[in-house]
């Protein structure tokens, strides 16, 4: 297959798989425009409002918990199709729900879709990507998340303004969905990418590494020939896959908890947790509240979220541009130390009561540094360093750590803001980034340009050394 056809095939497959990331981003962000109208319409108490926002986390944890082992058993493609189905059903069901318990049910279902997608989409991309482009292609998944967040913010803003302009004039079911109860329309927008994801999965192949592990070498070779520049390279890659699979024949949790895999799991989980403890979700979710108190945002918080979402998306292109040329380790070290500096400067601004738009400068720089290092590289690293028999399970544990870290951050941030003060809270976030820098400097090894099988072979020497 020619180079152009190979690139087209790899790019197409990556973009389709990355739709799981877009739906992930859309689902976690769309709720920001839904909370207030749902609270008003159903007269929710504070505890019911908290449960409405946080119940999706249960679905996320459940989705992560079963998706890794399930993908190791039945294949990556089938589990991706399950994620698309969950997104589709939850979007339709939520928009049609008439009672609060049904809203909760479909929120949990949507959370399961997020959990599955956050685990299997980057895993699938990493197993199909050639070594020379794997970092860039897996980073497309993080870009898709930021695009999904931006799409949710933009659609929320557009629907909110449409509803305000339309007023209370009577109308049919479309009027109900997008005017009188416009929060239903906000969630229903997710049907379009979910249906596209489900349909397009029909044209993508199964992971060649999963196929080879289960004795389907002919199918694996056929796919490898599509992603390699020559049949010889494809045959050599299949031999390497089979050799590592034979060496790591026994997968499962027991194998994962034995050295050296245990050391890799600890490293990946620590880097994942501290990427979330950097305070990224506090900036994304609580940003309008913080800046409104500082005089930056007077009224239209959804417009501010669009600006933040756009910045987060654009800065991710830095990682796509440089991850395979500079490497994972240099980007991670540079991004984490610079993020610590930006957060420190943000804390100083709050401490000195620097109000207004100047406060946006260090926050925007934090988004820049996070978007090319702490954000995407946790996915790249976690999908690369584990051998095929345990890769799905290992990644599911890392993603589970990510969701638990998110939950802790969202739970504790308001308490820290009120108890410690906003300046001290940002200093603490800076400390977490600083910890990430020193931890990565000591334990993170470079993997750019190496096949997944070469990484598996070399990691033992690196860890023991």
């Amino acid at each position: 297959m020619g180079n152009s056809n190979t690139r087209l095939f790899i790019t197409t497959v990556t973009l389709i798989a990355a739709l799981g990331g877009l739906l992930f981003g859309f689902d976690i962000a769309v709720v920001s425009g839904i909370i207030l109208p749902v609270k008003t319409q159903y007269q929710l108490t504070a505890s019911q409002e908290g449960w409405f926002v946080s119940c999706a986390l249960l679905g996320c944890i459940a989705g992560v918990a079963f998706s890794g082992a399930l993908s190791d058993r039945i294949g990556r493609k089938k589990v991706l199709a399950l994620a698309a189905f969950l997104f589709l059903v939850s979007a339709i069901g939520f928009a049609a729900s008439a009672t609060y318990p049904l809203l909760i049910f479909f929120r949990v279902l949507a959370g399961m879709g997020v959990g599955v997608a956050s685990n299997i989409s980057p895993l699938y991309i990493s197993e199909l990507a050639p070594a020379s482009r794997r970092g860039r292609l897996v980073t497309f998944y993080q870009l898709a998340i930021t695009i999904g967040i931006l799409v949710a913010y933009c659609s929320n803003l557009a629907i909110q303004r449409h509803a305000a302009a339309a007023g209370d004039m009577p109308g049919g079911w479309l009027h109900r969905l997008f005017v009188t109860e416009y929060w239903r329309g906000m969630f229903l927008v997710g049907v379009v990418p979910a249906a596209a994801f489900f349909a397009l999965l029909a044209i993508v192949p199964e992971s060649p590494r999963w196929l080879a592990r289960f004795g389907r070498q002919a199918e694996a070779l056929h796919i490898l020939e599509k992603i390699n520049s020559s049949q010889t390279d494809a045959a050599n890659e299949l031999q390497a896959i089979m050799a590592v699979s034979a060496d790591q024949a026994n997968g499962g949790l027991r194998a994962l908890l034995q050295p050296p895999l245990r050391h890799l799991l600890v490293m990946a989980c620590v880097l994942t947790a501290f990427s979330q403890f950097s305070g990224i979700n506090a900036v994304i979710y609580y940003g309008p509240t913080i800046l409104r108190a500082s005089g930056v945002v007077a009224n239209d918080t959804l417009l501010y979220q669009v600006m933040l979402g756009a910045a987060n998306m654009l800065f991710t292109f830095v990682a796509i541009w440089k991850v395979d040329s500079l490497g994972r380790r240099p980007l991670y070290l540079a991004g984490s130390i610079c993020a610590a500096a930006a957060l420190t400067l943000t804390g100083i601004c709050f401490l000195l009561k620097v109000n207004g738009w100047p406060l946006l400068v260090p926050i925007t720089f934090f988004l820049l540094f996070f978007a090319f290092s702490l954000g995407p590289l946790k996915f790249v690293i976690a999908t690369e360093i584990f051998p095929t028999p345990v890769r799905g399970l290992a990644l599911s544990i890392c993603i589970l750590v990510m969701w638990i870290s998110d939950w802790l951050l969202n739970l504790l941030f308001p308490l820290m803001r009120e108890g410690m003060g906003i300046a001290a809270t940002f200093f603490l976030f800076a400390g977490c980034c600083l910890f990430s820098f020193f931890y990565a400097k000591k334990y993170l090894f470079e993997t750019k340009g190496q096949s997944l099988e070469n990484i598996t072979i070399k990691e033992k020497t690196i860890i023991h050394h």
Side-chain angles (χ1 to χ4, degrees):
M1 178 176 287
N3 258 351
S4 59
N5 288 340
T6 300
R7 284 183 173 273
L8 178 62
F9 175 78
I10 294 169
T11 302
T12 301
V13 169
T14 299
L15 292 177
I16 293 172
L19 280 173
L22 187 147
L23 286 162
F24 167 5
F26 180 89
D27 197 88
I28 63 172
V30 73
V31 73
S32 64
I34 290 173
I35 298 171
L36 184 58
V38 167
K39 180 182 178 181
T40 303
Q41 180 169 331
Y42 288 93
Q43 297 183 332
L44 302 183
T45 64
S47 61
Q48 286 176 321
E49 179 189 1
W51 179 236
F52 173 74
V53 174
S54 62
C55 68
L57 180 65
L58 291 179
C60 290
I61 292 172
V64 172
F66 74 76
S67 61
L70 186 64
S71 75
D72 284 340
R73 192 174 304 119
I74 69 172
R76 319 311 194 198
K77 181 179 175 178
K78 290 178 182 176
V79 181
L80 282 176
L82 174 61
F85 180 75
L86 289 171
F87 281 123
L88 188 60
V89 170
S90 64
I92 296 171
F94 188 91
S97 295
T99 64
Y100 173 74
L102 274 177
L103 291 178
I104 295 298
F105 173 78
F106 285 110
R107 279 282 293 149
V108 172
L109 208 62
M112 289 180 67
V114 170
V116 174
S118 66
N119 190 16
I120 306 304
S121 285
L123 172 66
Y124 176 83
I125 294 170
S126 74
E127 292 192 340
L128 264 89
S132 61
R133 298 171 60 199
R134 189 174 57 246
R136 181 179 304 171
L137 294 175
V138 174
T139 303
F140 266 106
Y141 172 74
Q142 175 70 18
L143 177 65
I145 294 175
T146 65
I147 292 173
I149 291 171
L150 182 59
V151 167
Y153 289 161
C154 289
S155 62
N156 281 359
L157 180 63
I159 291 171
Q160 183 195 54
R161 290 187 169 178
H162 169 73
D168 296 324
M169 295 182 296
W173 61 273
L174 279 175
H175 188 81
R176 182 191 179 199
L177 284 174
F178 294 99
V179 179
T180 56
E181 298 179 19
Y182 63 85
W183 56 269
R184 298 182 185 274
M186 288 178 171
F187 214 90
L188 193 62
V189 170
V191 166
V192 176
F197 187 33
F198 190 79
L200 290 171
L201 280 172
I203 66 174
V204 305
E206 180 53 83
S207 161
R209 286 170 169 82
W210 183 87
L211 290 170
R213 183 190 170 203
F214 285 90
R216 296 161 65 175
Q217 285 87 353
E219 294 173 72
L221 181 60
H222 177 68
I223 297 165
L224 288 171
E225 287 173 349
K226 290 185 176 183
I227 61 178
N228 281 277
S229 56
S230 70
Q231 292 184 342
T232 302
D233 289 343
N236 290 338
E237 186 168 356
L238 179 61
Q239 288 182 352
I241 292 170
M242 295 304 298
V244 171
S245 294
D247 187 48
Q248 299 280 348
N250 297 317
L253 186 60
R254 178 175 295 181
L256 191 57
L257 295 180
Q258 298 297 318
L261 298 183
R262 183 177 66 213
H263 305 301
L264 294 174
L265 183 63
V266 170
M267 180 186 72
C269 286
V270 169
L271 294 178
T272 298
F274 277 84
S275 76
Q276 306 312 110
F277 292 154
S278 68
I280 183 63
N281 280 345
V283 172
I284 294 293
Y285 299 139
Y286 293 98
T289 302
I290 296 169
L291 294 175
R292 188 187 299 116
S294 301
V296 175
V297 180
N299 295 310
D300 204 341
T301 58
L302 290 185
L303 178 60
Y304 168 76
Q305 286 183 315
V306 169
M307 294 165 56
L308 246 177
N312 196 25
M313 181 195 73
L314 291 173
F315 294 153
T316 305
F317 281 102
V318 178
I320 292 173
W321 177 35
K322 289 296 184 183
V323 67
D324 283 321
S325 57
L326 292 180
R328 289 62 158 148
R329 193 171 187 273
L331 272 183
Y332 198 97
L333 293 176
S336 55
I337 195 68
C338 289
L343 288 167
T344 300
L345 188 56
T346 304
I348 291 172
C349 287
F350 280 115
L351 197 63
L352 299 179
K353 301 188 185 305
V354 176
N355 295 327
W357 291 100
L359 186 60
L360 276 178
V361 175
I363 291 178
T364 303
F365 271 107
F366 164 65
L367 284 176
L368 165 63
F369 300 132
F370 180 89
F372 74 71
S373 60
L374 297 164
L377 293 185
K378 61 177 176 284
F379 295 116
V380 176
I381 293 163
T383 57
E384 287 183 329
I385 61 176
F386 298 101
T388 299
V390 297
R391 190 174 292 125
L393 177 60
L395 184 59
S396 68
I397 293 172
C398 293
I399 300 298
L400 186 61
V401 167
M402 181 186 78
W403 286 116
I404 293 172
S405 303
D406 279 343
W407 174 73
L408 284 172
L409 180 67
N410 286 321
L411 178 68
L412 295 177
F413 178 74
L415 300 175
M416 292 190 298
R417 184 185 61 201
E418 298 301 320
M420 300 167 51
I422 190 65
T425 301
F426 272 87
F427 290 146
L428 182 61
F429 291 155
C432 290
C433 289
L434 201 59
F435 174 86
S436 293
F437 169 80
F438 286 110
Y439 187 87
K441 188 175 182 181
K442 183 174 182 180
Y443 293 108
L444 182 60
F445 52 92
E446 187 54 69
T447 55
K448 73 167 183 174
Q450 300 179 47
S451 72
L452 295 176
E453 288 65 44
N454 281 340
I455 294 170
T456 300
I457 292 168
K458 292 180 179 180
E459 68 197 6
K460 298 178 183 179
T461 305
I462 293 170
I463 291 171
H464 287 307
H465 181 266

